[in-house]
């Protein structure tokens, strides 16, 4: 298992030197400043590689850019509107340039409008740690009363609608502004930032797009890019919806094992694969991330290992980012399954037997608090998660030796 770490570039409050002290083996990054739909040039790729390879004092770090997360898929591609064909061509050109630079794994997602959604980016736990949280009542208050989406109340159970009305009535203007900003925060480091008016405009363009239609659009996209990835020897891996249930009236097409099977079978190439995120898939009680991994293991090209604590029994529920070894996912069983899959691949002679993994997210603890790193990406909280996951991995690999 290749131990990697996500880095958002020079503006990241967690440095290359910090990563080295954490003992990571490779770096996950992207060109967040490049507008979606345009080509990642060889020069920009090389510049990011040089930044990763260099410590603060100019000495070599020994680290390489090993996984792209994310090469964004534009809203035009998802909706098949506007410049979507030109954007696919740019995506393919970017992929070729990444291949020429020696990078083989590309993580992406096909979530409409927002890459992930939380209502609180620094929720305090009883021990003083901070974490990200999705509160269903707060989200319903945002959707129904702040965004004022037409028909929003019909998306929630009556008891949630009633609780959201009460919660909204008690909110200060500052609290309303904070929740709205948290919900539309999107991907940290991305070139775009959405206002409420931007969100309303995007939602209106998805009114006529159903779940089956969005699936067809994704299959059309993969039918273009996956054969090229296969030819180049690259691996594409789609991240699941986060959270994995419908929001804002938008279609969700990567929230379950069945969703993944639809896409993998429609474009049945080894290059067309999965980013198995235990936190995203684990945010609904009818998903067992360990069983999903075992079912799709042959096509899992990248692992995000994190945990969430679900606060309800319905598909749509509140949850928060728990410690890595706590929460919905049995991380011990997950690591056992990963070690078994790597052994199977190694015995089969696969060159991709070592699956890249990053300790996804983490709680802000100790000196993380006040550092103002990207939400979900603290230094010490991720280091703690990585150490715990590394310990599990070593235990299982040595036991099987």
């Amino acid at each position: 298992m290749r131990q990697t770490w996500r880095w958002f570039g020079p503006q990241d409050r967690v440095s290359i030197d910090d990563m080295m002290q954490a003992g990571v083996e490779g770096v996950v990054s992207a060109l967040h400043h490049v507008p979606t739909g345009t080509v990642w040039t060889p020069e920009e790729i090389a510049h990011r590689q040089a930044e990763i390879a260099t410590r603060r004092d100019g000495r070599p770090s020994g680290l390489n850019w090993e996984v792209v997360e994310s090469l964004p898929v534009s809203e035009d591609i998802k909706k098949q509107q506007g410049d979507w064909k030109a954007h696919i061509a740019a995506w393919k050109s970017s992929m070729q340039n990444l291949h020429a630079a020696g990078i083989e794994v590309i993580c992406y997602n096909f979530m409409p409008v927002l890459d992930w959604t939380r209502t609180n980016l620094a929720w305090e736990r009883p021990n003083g740690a901070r974490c990200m949280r999705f509160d269903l009542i707060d989200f319903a208050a945002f959707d129904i009363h702040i965004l004022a989406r037409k028909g929003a109340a019909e998306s929630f159970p009556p008891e949630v609608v009633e609780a959201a009305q009460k919660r909204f009535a008690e909110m200060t203007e500052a609290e309303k502004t904070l929740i709205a900003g948290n919900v539309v925060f999107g991907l940290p480091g991305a070139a775009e930032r959405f206002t409420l008016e931007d969100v309303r405009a995007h939602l209106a363009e998805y009114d006529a797009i159903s779940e089956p239609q969005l699936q067809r659009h994704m299959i059309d996209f993969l039918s273009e890019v996956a054969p090229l990835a296969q030819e180049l020897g690259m691996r594409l891996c789609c991240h699941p919806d986060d959270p994995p249930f419908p929001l804002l009236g938008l279609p969700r097409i990567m929230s379950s094992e069945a969703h993944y099977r639809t896409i993998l079978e429609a474009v049945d190439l080894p290059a067309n694969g999965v980013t198995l995120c235990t936190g995203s898939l684990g945010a609904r009680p009818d998903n067992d991330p360990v069983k999903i991994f075992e079912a799709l293991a042959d096509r899992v090209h990248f692992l995000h290992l994190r945990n969430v604590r679900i606060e309800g029994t319905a598909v749509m529920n509140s949850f928060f980012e728990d410690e890595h070894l706590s929460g919905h996912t049995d991380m011990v069983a997950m690591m056992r399954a990963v070690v078994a899959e790597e052994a199977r691949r190694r015995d089969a002679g696969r060159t991709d037997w070592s699956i890249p993994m990053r300790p996804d997210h983490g709680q802000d603890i100790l000196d993380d608090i006040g550092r103002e790193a990207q939400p979900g990406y603290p230094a010490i909280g991720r280091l703690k998660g990585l150490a715990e996951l590394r310990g599990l991995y070593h235990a299982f690999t040595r036991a099987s030796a």
Side-chain angles (χ1 to χ4, degrees):
M1 186 177 69
R2 193 77 178 159
Q3 299 169 33
T4 66
W5 188 277
R6 192 173 192 181
W7 190 59
F8 292 100
Q11 78 278 10
D12 198 321
R13 296 300 178 90
V14 183
S15 70
I16 297 296
D17 291 59
D18 294 336
M19 273 186 272
M20 292 177 63
Q21 293 175 29
V24 303
E25 298 168 321
V27 177
V28 177
S29 193
L31 303 181
H32 300 295
H33 59 286
V34 176
T36 301
T38 57
V39 176
W40 288 13
T41 65
E43 293 76 18
E44 288 282 5
I45 294 168
H47 184 65
R48 176 52 51 87
Q49 288 178 310
E51 291 172 332
I52 290 170
T54 308
R55 300 177 63 175
R56 285 194 191 97
D57 61 7
R59 287 181 293 167
S61 69
L63 295 174
N64 294 312
W65 184 5
E66 297 189 6
V67 179
V68 169
E69 185 181 351
S70 297
L71 181 56
V73 179
S74 72
E75 292 300 309
D76 281 355
I77 292 174
K78 295 169 190 172
K79 294 178 290 191
Q80 290 197 358
Q81 295 178 3
D83 293 328
W84 69 279
K85 292 184 178 179
H87 289 180
I88 289 179
W91 214 91
K92 293 166 75 173
S93 294
S94 298
M95 186 164 55
Q96 289 172 312
N97 292 339
L98 289 163
H99 172 260
I103 301 170
E104 298 180 349
V105 181
I106 299 176
C107 173
Y108 68 98
N109 75 71
F110 220 80
M111 284 180 268
V113 184
L114 297 174
D115 279 1
W116 52 263
T117 306
R118 301 290 187 272
T119 57
N120 193 324
L121 305 182
W123 189 57
E124 186 171 353
R125 301 290 296 123
N127 66 355
R130 310 290 198 275
C131 67
M132 296 202 295
R133 172 176 169 80
F134 178 89
D135 186 292
L136 183 58
I137 306 303
D138 280 348
F139 183 80
F142 164 80
D143 195 9
I144 299 168
H145 302 290
I146 299 174
L147 185 65
R149 179 174 64 88
K150 183 179 179 181
E154 300 169 9
S155 301
F156 303 95
E159 63 273 16
V160 173
V161 174
E162 182 179 352
Q165 169 65 47
K166 182 179 179 182
R167 177 105 21 115
F168 177 74
E170 296 170 349
M171 285 182 186
T172 65
E173 290 303 313
E175 288 170 335
K176 295 173 188 176
T177 299
L178 179 61
I179 287 176
N182 290 344
V183 170
V184 302
F185 192 85
L187 177 68
E192 293 87 1
R193 284 286 185 266
F194 288 155
T195 66
L196 289 182
E197 286 306 314
D198 292 332
V199 173
R200 292 186 184 106
H202 280 296
L203 293 180
E205 292 181 348
Y206 276 96
D207 280 347
I209 299 178
S210 64
E211 179 179 316
Q213 186 172 350
L214 187 62
Q215 283 180 328
R216 288 195 297 272
H217 291 178
M218 184 174 182
I219 290 167
D220 289 343
F221 165 71
L222 285 168
S223 296
E224 285 286 331
V225 301
L228 177 59
Q230 187 71 26
E231 177 186 332
L232 295 172
M234 301 183 76
R235 304 188 292 285
L236 309 180
C237 36
C238 187
H239 190 283
D241 301 324
D242 186 8
F245 42 76
L247 297 177
L248 303 174
L250 294 165
R252 291 295 222 194
I253 63 169
M254 299 303 281
S255 295
S256 65
E257 179 186 337
H259 280 154
Y260 269 102
R261 286 198 178 278
T262 296
I263 298 302
L264 297 178
E265 291 171 4
V267 184
D268 193 9
L269 294 170
N272 177 29
V274 178
T275 296
L276 199 293
C277 179
T278 55
S280 295
L281 291 171
R284 53 187 279 176
D286 58 340
N287 277 344
D288 183 333
V290 179
K291 291 182 178 178
I292 294 174
F293 171 79
E294 290 173 337
L296 306 177
D298 191 58
R299 301 276 277 276
V300 172
H301 299 323
F302 188 27
L303 292 165
H304 286 183
L305 299 185
R306 64 180 173 92
N307 232 323
V308 299
R309 177 77 59 178
I310 303 172
E311 299 177 8
T313 58
V315 168
M316 180 184 288
N317 54 74
S318 298
F319 62 87
F320 66 89
E321 306 269 2
D322 209 341
E323 296 176 294
H324 283 77
L325 302 189
S326 303
H328 180 62
T329 299
D330 183 344
M331 203 62 76
V332 175
M334 183 69 199
M335 193 62 73
R336 182 187 294 114
V338 170
V339 170
E341 171 60 16
E342 289 191 332
R344 186 195 67 80
R345 292 186 183 191
R346 193 165 48 241
D347 290 345
R350 284 178 56 163
T351 57
D352 65 339
W353 68 267
S354 182
I355 306 172
M357 174 281 295
R358 66 175 179 86
D360 198 13
H361 296 185
Q363 297 186 351
D364 286 22
I365 58 175
L366 305 176
D367 291 349
D368 290 328
I369 298 171
R371 185 191 291 255
E372 298 183 355
Q374 288 84 353
Y377 291 93
I380 302 170
R382 274 189 293 172
L383 171 60
K384 176 176 178 284
L386 176 59
E388 293 170 340
L389 296 168
R390 180 186 290 145
L392 286 177
Y393 186 72
H394 285 329
F396 283 121
T397 53
R398 289 177 184 177
S400 62

